[in-house]
Amino acid sequence: MPRSQNSGFWSVKSGIFLLPPSYRNGDTYPNEKKRTELERKRYGTCSLKNGLDRTWTCEELEENIITKYSRHADILRVTGVLFAKLESSSKQISVHRFLPLQTVAELEAMHGSGVLVLLFRPPDVVQQDLARLWECDGMTIGHLNCQSLPPKIDELRLLLFRTNVDVMTLSETWLKRSIKNDSLAVAGYRIVARRDGPEKSMYTQHPRGGVMVYVKEELEERGIHAREYVYDTSLEVVCVELDFDQPMKHRKSTKESGQTTCKGRGRASAAGAAAKQPERCQQRNVLRILDVYIPPGTRDQISALQKLHSDISDLKEQAQCRPLREQGTPENVQEDKGTKCRSSKGAGGTTKGRGSSSKGQKCRCKTQYVILGDFNCNIQDADAAAEQRSTVEAKLRTLKEIEDSCHLKQLIKDPTRTARRKYESKGKVNVSETTIDLIYTDGNAKVRSGVIRVSLSDHFMVYCSVTVPGGKKKNVCKDKKFTGNRDQEALRKFSSQYPRSKINKNVFHLMKNRDLAHANGEWDDYDRLRHEVKRLT
């Protein structure tokens, strides 16, 4: 590689070439005719007499280069610069992502000889996703397939500080029974529900599966009480119930009450119900959140989905009613604790029966549902699978039956898992995009949803925001606004809460670049950055 006489400088062969904003990573380098047209618009080659000082950091390099392109300097300072190289065999542009404190010497070592290509930095799609989440009103609920929680717990903590969701559900936690919740604690959140998967699976001798739910402690202060709603199931599913507008005289801290265990799917015995007829309905507003993980495997998935269908149907037939007696006493409150009323109309319906008073008053309890998780059924295959009778078609048909018969609506449309598989022997690379992390709601509330392209695993995070029962006065997220330095605020908060963590400013920058490379399909950079984050944390 040619160098100037001063060994402290790197002289790039054929100069440095700036391309217009339309060029992206993976595009083909312009031919000679096209380069002539670009140079007339003051793009193209920039000559540096002394080359590039090897001691410059990437930030200093960027600033020095921007000054050489005076016509585009203003926009370049706003967008930033990406450093890329030209692949000599394919003439494709390959982007490099660096930490701000890395130097030109490190850029030279990775780049090698050839043309150093500069690109306008494209919009940060991950930041755009985060901005949309921060702008959501109502109760925000997220889901992430984390693929082994213990080694990623610090990154999850930082992610929760960055997203500020009210409820975070996880799948594939891969937890051993010996791992206590204390080691998985997140400041400002508490673990409301946890269900571990099998200690050994048919594929490995290590734990697999598992679901867990974190709920923000702040909700308790706002009068929103979260507890695990236990019901009979053999699936990797947990149900968390958020109780709104519960009268003060019946309100009990979930820290004191613990779990609400409902044997026989939460139905009270007939004798108990007859002995405790309510005087009037308490008109409870409840949001039930089901965190679901359906393991892969064509043999058992259909039966698991059918069992999930049965569980959801049974849950939606119930509308809890914790009645108030006119002559309410602590003894009466204790007696009424387990009383239920069953709705013949489903969630949000009005019924008579056990929830009715002796005067025939109707139960006005309202229950909304959010069912989310990793279903391992790619809904993008629906059209193709419908044309053939196959196992894939049977799984998707079962999933559609759940949606239709339980009056649910699926919200997620974009891919939630993007992965690359290399076929070394064939010299081919296959990139797959699937939509398997899904969110279902029962349509009783206004809902916003989306995908956040963070790459803590090869699954992206999905989220929704649900209008809180009781109106705007219960809008727990009304103060949420996205600001440009929100990530820095999250990092400062994380560093103060977990001073022993290995995640610092540089590692955080690596993580953000890794997420962006994954979102943009820059696989070589993604692999390099992913391994670097693992090494440093």
Side-chain angles (χ1 to χ4, degrees):
M1 179 169 57
R3 297 181 180 177
S4 61
Q5 293 181 352
N6 187 338
S7 60
F9 289 84
W10 173 34
S11 179
V12 183
K13 183 180 180 181
S14 302
I16 300 172
F17 205 90
L18 174 69
L19 291 173
S22 57
Y23 280 83
R24 294 287 181 265
N25 180 49
D27 287 349
T28 304
Y29 193 69
N31 57 31
E32 186 173 346
K33 180 180 179 181
K34 185 68 174 178
R35 286 201 302 271
T36 303
E37 295 176 6
L38 292 176
E39 285 175 346
R40 281 202 294 265
K41 299 176 183 178
R42 304 212 184 154
Y43 293 104
T45 304
C46 165
S47 59
L48 296 172
K49 293 181 180 180
N50 295 325
L52 306 175
D53 192 323
R54 291 193 180 90
T55 63
W56 285 347
T57 64
C58 282
E59 289 179 334
E60 292 171 328
L61 171 61
E62 183 175 331
E63 186 59 34
N64 276 277
I65 285 177
I66 286 174
T67 60
K68 299 294 181 180
Y69 292 96
S70 57
R71 183 170 179 174
H72 311 290
D74 291 341
I75 188 172
L76 282 171
R77 284 194 173 91
V78 173
T79 63
V81 173
L82 284 179
F83 300 97
K85 69 177 178 180
L86 179 64
E87 301 289 354
S88 56
S89 57
S90 63
K91 301 297 182 181
Q92 279 192 333
I93 300 164
S94 179
V95 166
H96 297 300
R97 294 189 182 276
F98 294 95
L99 288 172
L101 298 181
Q102 286 185 305
T103 64
V104 170
E106 293 170 288
L107 176 62
E108 176 188 15
M110 177 169 290
H111 177 81
S113 61
V115 177
L116 178 60
V117 180
L118 305 178
L119 302 178
F120 286 75
R121 194 182 301 274
D124 190 332
V125 293
V126 180
Q127 281 295 347
Q128 291 175 350
D129 294 341
L130 288 167
R132 282 190 286 270
L133 174 57
W134 275 92
E135 292 165 359
C136 287
D137 291 331
M139 176 78 63
T140 50
I141 306 165
H143 176 81
L144 178 66
N145 181 320
C146 58
Q147 295 180 333
S148 186
L149 180 57
K152 301 172 183 175
I153 184 60
D154 274 349
E155 192 167 348
L156 175 70
R157 288 163 174 161
L158 182 53
L159 177 63
L160 285 174
F161 289 153
R162 292 177 72 192
T163 56
N164 199 33
V165 293
D166 298 300
V167 180
M168 186 67 178
T169 64
L170 302 175
S171 59
E172 287 207 70
T173 52
W174 298 3
L175 295 177
K176 296 180 179 178
R177 305 292 188 272
S178 58
I179 298 177
K180 304 300 181 184
N181 285 355
D182 290 347
S183 64
L184 307 172
V186 178
Y189 290 80
R190 66 185 183 89
I191 298 172
V192 174
R194 168 180 167 179
R195 184 183 182 94
D196 296 338
E199 289 281 355
K200 298 178 182 180
S201 71
M202 60 184 296
Y203 304 106
T204 177
Q205 296 300 305
H206 301 289
R208 281 295 185 266
V211 289
M212 180 180 284
V213 180
Y214 289 88
V215 175
K216 190 180 287 185
E217 292 177 347
E218 179 186 344
L219 299 186
E220 188 82 11
E221 300 171 5
R222 296 174 183 252
I224 302 170
H225 303 277
R227 57 186 164 271
E228 182 177 3
Y229 188 88
V230 181
Y231 63 102
D232 300 335
T233 182
S234 58
L235 302 174
E236 291 185 48
V237 179
V238 290
C239 180
V240 171
E241 184 176 276
L242 301 183
D243 197 349
F244 302 84
D245 299 323
Q246 188 175 351
M248 287 300 297
K249 65 191 303 180
H250 286 273
R251 190 172 290 169
K252 186 175 182 182
S253 170
T254 51
K255 294 180 181 178
E256 299 174 8
S257 62
Q259 294 181 348
T260 302
T261 304
C262 304
K263 297 180 180 179
R265 301 192 188 280
R267 297 171 184 145
S269 66
K276 303 167 187 176
Q277 283 294 331
E279 293 298 330
R280 60 189 175 89
C281 174
Q282 200 181 59
Q283 301 181 23
R284 296 175 67 234
N285 284 316
V286 172
L287 174 64
R288 282 183 183 161
I289 302 168
L290 272 71
D291 181 13
V292 177
Y293 175 63
I294 303 295
T298 55
R299 177 179 298 177
D300 300 325
Q301 271 190 303
I302 295 175
S303 60
L305 288 169
Q306 291 171 342
K307 179 66 168 61
L308 178 64
H309 186 184
S310 175
D311 287 347
I312 295 172
S313 297
D314 285 346
L315 280 172
K316 286 180 71 66
E317 286 177 359
Q318 304 169 38
Q320 285 190 332
C321 180
R322 297 184 181 180
L324 287 171
R325 294 186 183 275
E326 291 182 358
Q327 303 296 327
T329 64
E331 290 78 10
N332 289 338
V333 171
Q334 185 65 28
E335 287 177 0
D336 295 341
K337 183 176 180 180
T339 306
K340 314 280 181 186
C341 77
R342 182 173 177 180
S343 168
S344 61
K345 195 174 180 180
T350 60
T351 63
K352 296 181 181 180
R354 268 181 263 181
S356 304
S357 71
S358 57
K359 299 179 181 179
Q361 181 184 0
K362 294 181 179 179
C363 173
R364 292 183 175 84
C365 295
K366 294 182 180 179
T367 305
Q368 298 177 22
Y369 285 84
V370 174
I371 303 164
L372 72 172
D374 180 3
F375 289 79
N376 272 304
C377 295
N378 181 21
I379 61 172
Q380 293 185 8
D381 292 338
D383 293 338
E387 299 176 1
Q388 52 186 342
R389 302 184 66 85
S390 64
T391 306
V392 174
E393 189 270 339
K395 288 191 295 185
L396 291 168
R397 186 175 65 250
T398 306
L399 200 60
K400 184 64 176 175
E401 289 172 359
I402 296 175
E403 184 176 349
D404 293 340
S405 65
C406 296
H407 306 291
L408 301 173
K409 181 180 180 181
Q410 204 290 115
L411 305 177
I412 302 302
K413 308 301 180 186
D414 297 328
T416 63
R417 183 176 184 268
T418 304
R420 176 182 64 164
R421 177 177 295 177
K422 291 182 178 180
Y423 299 92
E424 300 291 351
S425 59
K426 299 179 181 180
K428 294 182 179 179
V429 175
N430 179 43
V431 177
S432 63
E433 290 187 339
T434 55
T435 305
I436 58 178
D437 302 278
L438 310 175
I439 300 179
Y440 290 90
T441 63
D442 56 6
N444 287 344
K446 295 180 180 179
V447 179
R448 292 181 63 183
S449 61
V451 177
I452 302 212
R453 286 165 278 191
V454 292
S455 54
L456 186 141
S457 69
D458 61 2
H459 290 249
F460 295 142
M461 173 181 166
V462 296
Y463 72 90
C464 69
S465 65
V466 181
T467 303
V468 173
K472 294 183 178 179
K473 64 178 180 179
K474 291 293 183 182
N475 188 343
V476 296
C477 307
K478 64 182 178 182
D479 297 328
K480 290 184 178 182
K481 286 187 178 180
F482 176 78
T483 59
N485 62 351
R486 183 67 69 180
D487 274 352
Q488 296 305 317
E489 293 174 12
L491 182 59
R492 284 195 294 271
K493 182 178 180 181
F494 172 81
S495 300
S496 64
Q497 294 284 351
Y498 306 100
R500 296 184 180 180
S501 171
K502 295 180 180 179
I503 297 179
N504 53 30
K505 183 177 180 180
N506 281 345
V507 175
F508 184 38
H509 190 88
L510 272 175
M511 289 163 47
K512 292 177 67 175
N513 276 342
R514 175 205 63 191
D515 294 348
L516 196 55
H518 189 192
N520 292 333
E522 298 164 2
W523 294 109
D524 290 339
D525 268 337
Y526 169 68
D527 288 340
R528 175 175 64 87
L529 293 165
R530 180 168 60 91
H531 289 305
E532 188 68 8
V533 170
K534 281 186 177 180
R535 184 182 69 82
L536 294 175
T537 57

